[in-house]
Amino acid sequence: MISNRKIRIALVSPKGPLYRHRGGIFCKSLRYQPLTLTTLAALAPGDMPCELFLFDEGIQDVPLHLDVDLVGLTVITGTAPRAYELAAAFRGRGITVVLGGPHVTLIPEDAAPHADAIVIGYAEDTWPQLLRDFAPANCVRATVNRRGSIWRTGHSRAGTCFPATAT
């Protein structure tokens, strides 16, 4: 068991120019939640108590007043401006922000200034370890496996023992 305290995690798919009822090119014909958020939720370690909140901005905007410990945003190039806007809002409130996804993997130097940590590569290879590293009872440097990386991008704020460092 990592800790008795539940970590509150918000997973967000930001809105962008392609999305559903917000006037994007898919309009109302595409109404399924992207698998990214549910996959990340399923990858949370079973022995790590956490509460997960999933937000798809293709359906509705994420509330900026969330009471969470960590926000993970999945970023494609079309959603990068909105992801960075959300990251700034959450970081401004002292919430740790992690960015990942295709845009971050392909252009990490663009994403790095906007997050406390970025994940490069497949979430299956990095997300569970990132969460373990974030857990208050297990604040250690993140490890990096063969296919993915977790990069430290910001300075740790008071009370935050995260972020990770690439090796």
Side-chain angles (χ1 to χ4, degrees):
M1 179 69 92
I2 290 176
S3 170
N4 291 331
R5 181 187 174 279
K6 281 190 177 182
I7 298 172
R8 298 172 54 87
I9 304 166
L11 300 173
V12 180
S13 179
K15 62 185 171 185
L18 300 178
Y19 292 97
R20 298 167 276 295
H21 74 281
R22 300 201 172 269
I25 64 172
F26 290 132
C27 298
K28 294 185 180 196
S29 64
L30 186 61
R31 290 213 177 255
Y32 63 87
Q33 183 176 32
L35 292 177
T36 304
L37 302 180
T38 51
T39 300
L40 290 172
L43 289 170
D47 64 340
M48 190 177 98
C50 60
E51 282 184 84
L52 293 157
F53 306 92
L54 281 57
F55 298 96
D56 177 3
E57 283 203 317
I59 304 301
Q60 70 180 27
D61 288 351
V62 62
L64 296 179
H65 62 275
L66 293 175
D67 178 22
V68 295
D69 303 302
L70 177 76
V71 173
L73 293 119
T74 181
V75 187
I76 61 174
T77 301
T79 65
R82 175 63 176 166
Y84 299 161
E85 175 186 329
L86 291 171
F90 290 121
R91 291 177 82 199
R93 294 186 45 230
I95 298 171
T96 299
V97 172
V98 177
L99 299 177
H103 181 78
V104 176
T105 296
L106 295 172
I107 314 172
E109 63 277 5
D110 183 60
H114 302 281
D116 297 294
I118 60 173
V119 175
I120 297 169
Y122 296 103
E124 292 86 344
D125 297 328
T126 52
W127 185 245
Q129 186 62 49
L130 184 145
L131 293 179
R132 289 182 186 282
D133 293 338
F134 178 77
N138 192 25
C139 295
V140 296
R141 294 173 68 167
T143 58
V144 176
N145 61 38
R146 292 181 301 278
R147 292 194 284 174
S149 301
I150 304 168
W151 284 8
R152 177 183 179 167
T153 63
H155 298 288
S156 188
R157 290 184 294 277
T160 305
C161 52
F162 187 74
T165 304
T167 57

PDB file of all heavy atoms in Angstrom, residues 81-102:
ATOM      1  N   PRO A  81      -2.998  25.010 -27.478  1.00  0.00           N
ATOM      2  CA  PRO A  81      -3.253  26.318 -26.852  1.00  0.00           C
ATOM      3  C   PRO A  81      -4.211  26.234 -25.659  1.00  0.00           C
ATOM      4  O   PRO A  81      -3.974  26.853 -24.622  1.00  0.00           O
ATOM      5  CB  PRO A  81      -3.853  27.149 -27.991  1.00  0.00           C
ATOM      6  CG  PRO A  81      -3.307  26.527 -29.233  1.00  0.00           C
ATOM      7  CD  PRO A  81      -3.241  25.048 -28.928  1.00  0.00           C
ATOM      8  N   ARG A  82      -5.281  25.444 -25.784  1.00  0.00           N
ATOM      9  CA  ARG A  82      -6.222  25.293 -24.676  1.00  0.00           C
ATOM     10  C   ARG A  82      -5.572  24.525 -23.517  1.00  0.00           C
ATOM     11  O   ARG A  82      -5.765  24.864 -22.352  1.00  0.00           O
ATOM     12  CB  ARG A  82      -7.499  24.596 -25.152  1.00  0.00           C
ATOM     13  CG  ARG A  82      -8.493  24.288 -24.057  1.00  0.00           C
ATOM     14  CD  ARG A  82      -9.035  25.514 -23.384  1.00  0.00           C
ATOM     15  NE  ARG A  82     -10.066  25.135 -22.410  1.00  0.00           N
ATOM     16  CZ  ARG A  82     -10.545  25.929 -21.488  1.00  0.00           C
ATOM     17  NH1 ARG A  82     -10.142  27.179 -21.418  1.00  0.00           N
ATOM     18  NH2 ARG A  82     -11.451  25.517 -20.642  1.00  0.00           N
ATOM     19  N   ALA A  83      -4.783  23.506 -23.824  1.00  0.00           N
ATOM     20  CA  ALA A  83      -4.106  22.747 -22.769  1.00  0.00           C
ATOM     21  C   ALA A  83      -3.181  23.654 -21.977  1.00  0.00           C
ATOM     22  O   ALA A  83      -3.133  23.594 -20.741  1.00  0.00           O
ATOM     23  CB  ALA A  83      -3.325  21.578 -23.367  1.00  0.00           C
ATOM     24  N   TYR A  84      -2.450  24.522 -22.662  1.00  0.00           N
ATOM     25  CA  TYR A  84      -1.532  25.425 -21.980  1.00  0.00           C
ATOM     26  C   TYR A  84      -2.288  26.461 -21.158  1.00  0.00           C
ATOM     27  O   TYR A  84      -1.833  26.845 -20.076  1.00  0.00           O
ATOM     28  CB  TYR A  84      -0.606  26.111 -22.986  1.00  0.00           C
ATOM     29  CG  TYR A  84       0.265  25.152 -23.781  1.00  0.00           C
ATOM     30  CD1 TYR A  84       0.850  25.557 -24.969  1.00  0.00           C
ATOM     31  CD2 TYR A  84       0.498  23.845 -23.357  1.00  0.00           C
ATOM     32  CE1 TYR A  84       1.657  24.695 -25.706  1.00  0.00           C
ATOM     33  CE2 TYR A  84       1.288  22.976 -24.084  1.00  0.00           C
ATOM     34  CZ  TYR A  84       1.868  23.403 -25.262  1.00  0.00           C
ATOM     35  OH  TYR A  84       2.657  22.554 -25.984  1.00  0.00           O
ATOM     36  N   GLU A  85      -3.436  26.894 -21.646  1.00  0.00           N
ATOM     37  CA  GLU A  85      -4.281  27.826 -20.882  1.00  0.00           C
ATOM     38  C   GLU A  85      -4.765  27.168 -19.593  1.00  0.00           C
ATOM     39  O   GLU A  85      -4.698  27.763 -18.512  1.00  0.00           O
ATOM     40  CB  GLU A  85      -5.466  28.233 -21.758  1.00  0.00           C
ATOM     41  CG  GLU A  85      -6.509  29.103 -21.107  1.00  0.00           C
ATOM     42  CD  GLU A  85      -7.709  29.316 -22.025  1.00  0.00           C
ATOM     43  OE1 GLU A  85      -7.550  29.331 -23.264  1.00  0.00           O
ATOM     44  OE2 GLU A  85      -8.825  29.465 -21.491  1.00  0.00           O
ATOM     45  N   LEU A  86      -5.246  25.935 -19.706  1.00  0.00           N
ATOM     46  CA  LEU A  86      -5.694  25.207 -18.519  1.00  0.00           C
ATOM     47  C   LEU A  86      -4.537  24.941 -17.558  1.00  0.00           C
ATOM     48  O   LEU A  86      -4.681  25.084 -16.345  1.00  0.00           O
ATOM     49  CB  LEU A  86      -6.354  23.883 -18.917  1.00  0.00           C
ATOM     50  CG  LEU A  86      -7.695  23.978 -19.632  1.00  0.00           C
ATOM     51  CD1 LEU A  86      -8.108  22.608 -20.163  1.00  0.00           C
ATOM     52  CD2 LEU A  86      -8.753  24.545 -18.698  1.00  0.00           C
ATOM     53  N   ALA A  87      -3.395  24.553 -18.103  1.00  0.00           N
ATOM     54  CA  ALA A  87      -2.223  24.281 -17.262  1.00  0.00           C
ATOM     55  C   ALA A  87      -1.841  25.514 -16.458  1.00  0.00           C
ATOM     56  O   ALA A  87      -1.555  25.425 -15.262  1.00  0.00           O
ATOM     57  CB  ALA A  87      -1.057  23.816 -18.131  1.00  0.00           C
ATOM     58  N   ALA A  88      -1.852  26.673 -17.098  1.00  0.00           N
ATOM     59  CA  ALA A  88      -1.513  27.914 -16.394  1.00  0.00           C
ATOM     60  C   ALA A  88      -2.504  28.199 -15.274  1.00  0.00           C
ATOM     61  O   ALA A  88      -2.114  28.607 -14.170  1.00  0.00           O
ATOM     62  CB  ALA A  88      -1.460  29.082 -17.375  1.00  0.00           C
ATOM     63  N   ALA A  89      -3.770  27.967 -15.539  1.00  0.00           N
ATOM     64  CA  ALA A  89      -4.794  28.215 -14.512  1.00  0.00           C
ATOM     65  C   ALA A  89      -4.602  27.289 -13.314  1.00  0.00           C
ATOM     66  O   ALA A  89      -4.656  27.732 -12.162  1.00  0.00           O
ATOM     67  CB  ALA A  89      -6.188  28.042 -15.110  1.00  0.00           C
ATOM     68  N   PHE A  90      -4.387  26.018 -13.560  1.00  0.00           N
ATOM     69  CA  PHE A  90      -4.221  25.067 -12.461  1.00  0.00           C
ATOM     70  C   PHE A  90      -2.901  25.274 -11.724  1.00  0.00           C
ATOM     71  O   PHE A  90      -2.858  25.240 -10.492  1.00  0.00           O
ATOM     72  CB  PHE A  90      -4.352  23.626 -12.967  1.00  0.00           C
ATOM     73  CG  PHE A  90      -5.754  23.272 -13.369  1.00  0.00           C
ATOM     74  CD1 PHE A  90      -6.039  22.848 -14.650  1.00  0.00           C
ATOM     75  CD2 PHE A  90      -6.806  23.374 -12.470  1.00  0.00           C
ATOM     76  CE1 PHE A  90      -7.325  22.525 -15.026  1.00  0.00           C
ATOM     77  CE2 PHE A  90      -8.104  23.061 -12.832  1.00  0.00           C
ATOM     78  CZ  PHE A  90      -8.365  22.631 -14.122  1.00  0.00           C
ATOM     79  N   ARG A  91      -1.831  25.506 -12.458  1.00  0.00           N
ATOM     80  CA  ARG A  91      -0.538  25.762 -11.802  1.00  0.00           C
ATOM     81  C   ARG A  91      -0.599  27.040 -10.977  1.00  0.00           C
ATOM     82  O   ARG A  91       0.024  27.123  -9.915  1.00  0.00           O
ATOM     83  CB  ARG A  91       0.574  25.840 -12.835  1.00  0.00           C
ATOM     84  CG  ARG A  91       0.861  24.487 -13.489  1.00  0.00           C
ATOM     85  CD  ARG A  91       1.905  24.583 -14.568  1.00  0.00           C
ATOM     86  NE  ARG A  91       3.213  24.556 -13.945  1.00  0.00           N
ATOM     87  CZ  ARG A  91       4.321  24.974 -14.525  1.00  0.00           C
ATOM     88  NH1 ARG A  91       4.291  25.496 -15.742  1.00  0.00           N
ATOM     89  NH2 ARG A  91       5.474  24.894 -13.899  1.00  0.00           N
ATOM     90  N   GLY A  92      -1.342  28.021 -11.450  1.00  0.00           N
ATOM     91  CA  GLY A  92      -1.515  29.267 -10.702  1.00  0.00           C
ATOM     92  C   GLY A  92      -2.196  29.045  -9.361  1.00  0.00           C
ATOM     93  O   GLY A  92      -2.041  29.848  -8.443  1.00  0.00           O
ATOM     94  N   ARG A  93      -2.945  27.962  -9.246  1.00  0.00           N
ATOM     95  CA  ARG A  93      -3.604  27.596  -7.986  1.00  0.00           C
ATOM     96  C   ARG A  93      -2.779  26.598  -7.186  1.00  0.00           C
ATOM     97  O   ARG A  93      -3.236  26.076  -6.171  1.00  0.00           O
ATOM     98  CB  ARG A  93      -4.980  27.001  -8.282  1.00  0.00           C
ATOM     99  CG  ARG A  93      -5.939  28.017  -8.882  1.00  0.00           C
ATOM    100  CD  ARG A  93      -7.355  27.477  -9.056  1.00  0.00           C
ATOM    101  NE  ARG A  93      -7.787  26.765  -7.877  1.00  0.00           N
ATOM    102  CZ  ARG A  93      -8.335  25.527  -7.902  1.00  0.00           C
ATOM    103  NH1 ARG A  93      -8.490  24.894  -9.032  1.00  0.00           N
ATOM    104  NH2 ARG A  93      -8.720  24.955  -6.789  1.00  0.00           N
ATOM    105  N   GLY A  94      -1.547  26.312  -7.630  1.00  0.00           N
ATOM    106  CA  GLY A  94      -0.678  25.398  -6.891  1.00  0.00           C
ATOM    107  C   GLY A  94      -0.931  23.931  -7.159  1.00  0.00           C
ATOM    108  O   GLY A  94      -0.459  23.074  -6.404  1.00  0.00           O
ATOM    109  N   ILE A  95      -1.660  23.603  -8.212  1.00  0.00           N
ATOM    110  CA  ILE A  95      -1.952  22.210  -8.556  1.00  0.00           C
ATOM    111  C   ILE A  95      -0.881  21.725  -9.531  1.00  0.00           C
ATOM    112  O   ILE A  95      -0.542  22.410 -10.500  1.00  0.00           O
ATOM    113  CB  ILE A  95      -3.357  22.088  -9.182  1.00  0.00           C
ATOM    114  CG1 ILE A  95      -4.423  22.527  -8.169  1.00  0.00           C
ATOM    115  CG2 ILE A  95      -3.617  20.663  -9.660  1.00  0.00           C
ATOM    116  CD1 ILE A  95      -5.816  22.654  -8.750  1.00  0.00           C
ATOM    117  N   THR A  96      -0.348  20.553  -9.283  1.00  0.00           N
ATOM    118  CA  THR A  96       0.664  19.968 -10.152  1.00  0.00           C
ATOM    119  C   THR A  96       0.023  19.570 -11.478  1.00  0.00           C
ATOM    120  O   THR A  96      -1.032  18.933 -11.501  1.00  0.00           O
ATOM    121  CB  THR A  96       1.300  18.736  -9.487  1.00  0.00           C
ATOM    122  OG1 THR A  96       1.930  19.154  -8.272  1.00  0.00           O
ATOM    123  CG2 THR A  96       2.329  18.084 -10.390  1.00  0.00           C
ATOM    124  N   VAL A  97       0.685  19.932 -12.571  1.00  0.00           N
ATOM    125  CA  VAL A  97       0.177  19.650 -13.921  1.00  0.00           C
ATOM    126  C   VAL A  97       1.171  18.784 -14.683  1.00  0.00           C
ATOM    127  O   VAL A  97       2.365  19.076 -14.710  1.00  0.00           O
ATOM    128  CB  VAL A  97      -0.095  20.961 -14.695  1.00  0.00           C
ATOM    129  CG1 VAL A  97      -0.436  20.677 -16.152  1.00  0.00           C
ATOM    130  CG2 VAL A  97      -1.207  21.759 -14.029  1.00  0.00           C
ATOM    131  N   VAL A  98       0.644  17.720 -15.298  1.00  0.00           N
ATOM    132  CA  VAL A  98       1.419  16.835 -16.154  1.00  0.00           C
ATOM    133  C   VAL A  98       0.799  16.880 -17.549  1.00  0.00           C
ATOM    134  O   VAL A  98      -0.413  16.746 -17.693  1.00  0.00           O
ATOM    135  CB  VAL A  98       1.409  15.384 -15.625  1.00  0.00           C
ATOM    136  CG1 VAL A  98       2.158  14.461 -16.569  1.00  0.00           C
ATOM    137  CG2 VAL A  98       1.976  15.314 -14.228  1.00  0.00           C
ATOM    138  N   LEU A  99       1.635  17.090 -18.554  1.00  0.00           N
ATOM    139  CA  LEU A  99       1.179  17.074 -19.949  1.00  0.00           C
ATOM    140  C   LEU A  99       1.741  15.846 -20.643  1.00  0.00           C
ATOM    141  O   LEU A  99       2.895  15.472 -20.428  1.00  0.00           O
ATOM    142  CB  LEU A  99       1.651  18.323 -20.694  1.00  0.00           C
ATOM    143  CG  LEU A  99       1.159  19.673 -20.175  1.00  0.00           C
ATOM    144  CD1 LEU A  99       1.787  20.806 -20.994  1.00  0.00           C
ATOM    145  CD2 LEU A  99      -0.352  19.766 -20.219  1.00  0.00           C
ATOM    146  N   GLY A 100       0.930  15.235 -21.484  1.00  0.00           N
ATOM    147  CA  GLY A 100       1.361  14.102 -22.284  1.00  0.00           C
ATOM    148  C   GLY A 100       0.565  14.068 -23.570  1.00  0.00           C
ATOM    149  O   GLY A 100      -0.242  14.951 -23.842  1.00  0.00           O
ATOM    150  N   GLY A 101       0.792  13.051 -24.358  1.00  0.00           N
ATOM    151  CA  GLY A 101       0.063  12.900 -25.611  1.00  0.00           C
ATOM    152  C   GLY A 101       0.953  13.099 -26.822  1.00  0.00           C
ATOM    153  O   GLY A 101       2.156  13.367 -26.697  1.00  0.00           O
ATOM    154  N   PRO A 102       0.374  12.971 -28.002  1.00  0.00           N
ATOM    155  CA  PRO A 102       1.163  13.048 -29.231  1.00  0.00           C
ATOM    156  C   PRO A 102       1.930  14.355 -29.405  1.00  0.00           C
ATOM    157  O   PRO A 102       3.101  14.348 -29.791  1.00  0.00           O
ATOM    158  CB  PRO A 102       0.124  12.875 -30.343  1.00  0.00           C
ATOM    159  CG  PRO A 102      -1.010  12.168 -29.694  1.00  0.00           C
ATOM    160  CD  PRO A 102      -1.018  12.615 -28.276  1.00  0.00           C
TER     161      PRO A 102
END
